[in-house]
Amino acid sequence: MKEHCDIVIMSCDKNKDLWPMIISSIEKYWSECALDIYIVTETITEIELADHREIRALATDGKTWGERFLKALDKIEKPYVLFLLDDYFLNDYANDTVICNITEMMCVKKVNGVIYLNSPVIEINYKSYYGLKKLKNGEPYCISALVAIWDVAALKRVTHKLHSPWTWEVFGSVGAFGSEIDILAVGWENLYPHHVGGAIHRGKWAEKAIPELKKTFGDDFDFGLRGTIKFEDINTPLTLSQKIDFLLKGFIVLKLKMFIFLKRRYFPGQYINIKGTNKDKQSKRILITGSTGFIGENLRRMLIEKGSYQ
């Protein structure tokens, strides 16, 4: 696996306080991991973490998240990367055996795309591909910041220099419509357990992540420097100027495919049906949406608690 794949952690200089934490979580819960680890920085060219394994910096300049991400991927020489965000701290043991097997399968079968290490959707009907779920290209959030092993060439194709982490998921998913990229997922087994959506939101610790953070880093973990944020304060409405900027960038990135997004945005009914609620009894699916799957995962948990998810 090591000769085919690297770990790439997308970050920035101001989040350098998170770097020893994510490395500590990997060393604690994935001690077998032999992959080289790269952290994408802005100006920092060397990373020295005391008492930790060697970490390499990928210093990338750029005005946007997408531009920096593309420049970082250009520096990767191996064909595959395990892609992480810098607040994806492990809170339980990673399944090293299965992750290695998936990577080897990608090489042997020449998978041209991505395999999510947990699924971005609840899918009632899906195609099977060597025991994995094969997701439909172009579905909302089929391109997701969930932990995944990516073919580097495919990852570059779904990334645009104007992307932010959030528009990457939205526009990247629409852009995948009609493409030949392979979008696969292992199902509901979580091979890389971490707080869904990441532990940081708007620069603060997500309150719901606190129990998992204490499990990983101890009860005396200090939340004071960043503070905490409640779930209901995470998502705030966009201003008019932000909406206009979003739409303009959408047309620049997607061109005519932007109309697919607009159709789904204003006529979403066919994407939010729950199995068994329609009179025609047709099989439906529930899509997991929300930035980095955070909203969608909480929807899934709510449905499970209410007995609506099967």
Side-chain angles (χ1 to χ4, degrees):
M1 180 177 177
K2 179 179 174 65
E3 61 269 25
H4 302 302
C5 185
D6 292 322
I7 293 178
V8 171
I9 303 172
M10 190 62 185
S11 188
C12 58
D13 290 2
K14 70 177 182 179
N15 281 354
K16 62 182 180 181
D17 61 307
L18 304 181
W19 301 346
M21 296 178 62
I22 191 168
I23 300 306
S24 293
S25 75
I26 291 173
E27 291 174 343
K28 179 176 182 178
Y29 288 120
W30 193 8
S31 59
E32 311 96 326
C33 178
L35 303 181
D36 293 329
I37 300 178
Y38 293 86
I39 296 179
V40 182
T41 68
E42 292 165 295
T43 61
I44 296 174
T45 57
E46 293 186 6
I47 299 175
E48 295 184 6
L49 303 179
D51 302 321
H52 292 291
R53 59 183 292 175
E54 180 184 1
I55 308 298
R56 303 175 186 179
L58 291 177
T60 56
D61 60 342
K63 296 180 180 180
T64 65
W65 183 91
E67 185 177 3
R68 292 180 53 239
F69 192 26
L70 286 169
K71 288 183 177 181
L73 293 175
D74 283 339
K75 297 180 181 182
I76 297 295
E77 297 180 355
K78 295 175 185 175
Y80 299 101
V81 294
L82 196 161
F83 170 54
L84 303 173
L85 297 181
D86 55 14
D87 60 343
Y88 283 7
F89 311 124
L90 277 165
N91 55 46
D92 208 338
Y93 290 98
N95 194 326
D96 180 72
T97 300
V98 177
I99 292 174
C100 289
N101 290 342
I102 286 174
T103 306
E104 292 300 325
M105 188 272 281
M106 291 186 79
C107 296
V108 173
K109 301 298 181 183
K110 301 187 184 303
V111 175
N112 173 34
V114 58
I115 297 181
Y116 294 110
L117 301 188
N118 55 352
S119 180
V121 299
I122 298 173
E123 192 77 44
I124 303 301
N125 290 322
Y126 58 89
K127 294 181 179 180
S128 179
Y129 182 93
Y130 295 100
L132 300 169
K133 289 183 176 182
K134 185 172 179 61
L135 309 180
K136 185 177 179 180
N137 290 22
E139 290 277 19
Y141 293 89
C142 65
I143 303 301
S144 169
L146 290 168
V147 178
I149 299 174
W150 278 89
D151 172 83
V152 173
L155 186 51
K156 289 179 182 179
R157 288 199 300 275
V158 301
T159 304
H160 191 281
K161 66 180 181 180
L162 292 180
H163 280 158
S164 69
W166 302 275
T167 59
W168 178 67
E169 293 185 315
V170 177
F171 297 155
S173 298
V174 176
F177 182 82
S179 72
E180 296 182 356
I181 183 174
D182 298 315
I183 305 175
L184 309 170
V186 297
W188 289 113
E189 181 182 2
N190 196 347
L191 302 181
Y192 185 100
H194 69 97
H195 185 74
V196 175
I200 298 287
H201 293 278
R202 298 185 180 276
K204 298 181 178 181
W205 298 109
E207 276 196 354
K208 289 195 172 184
I210 290 177
E212 296 165 5
L213 290 168
K214 287 185 175 181
K215 176 184 176 184
T216 301
F217 303 110
D219 290 335
D220 57 349
F221 181 78
D222 184 10
F223 297 95
L225 292 178
R226 286 182 173 267
T228 60
I229 188 170
K230 295 181 178 179
F231 175 80
E232 55 267 26
D233 296 329
I234 291 173
N235 294 292
T236 57
L238 296 177
T239 65
L240 179 60
S241 62
Q242 288 174 326
K243 291 179 179 178
I244 293 173
D245 181 68
F246 178 86
L247 291 172
L248 289 175
K249 286 182 178 176
F251 278 106
I252 292 172
V253 173
L254 294 172
K255 299 180 174 59
L256 292 179
K257 284 186 177 181
M258 185 61 180
F259 288 106
I260 298 175
F261 167 79
L262 294 175
K263 179 178 182 295
R264 290 173 174 175
R265 173 65 179 83
Y266 293 104
F267 303 96
Q270 66 268 40
Y271 299 107
I272 317 176
N273 286 311
I274 299 175
K275 182 181 180 183
T277 59
N278 286 27
K279 292 182 179 179
D280 60 8
K281 303 298 183 182
Q282 290 181 353
S283 178
K284 299 294 181 181
R285 59 184 178 273
I286 306 163
L287 295 180
I288 288 301
T289 61
S291 179
T292 63
F294 183 81
I295 303 299
E297 176 62 15
N298 281 275
L299 169 64
R300 182 180 77 89
R301 290 175 178 174
M302 179 188 72
L303 292 171
I304 291 173
E305 290 171 1
K306 291 185 176 182
S308 298
Y309 167 63
Q310 300 179 10

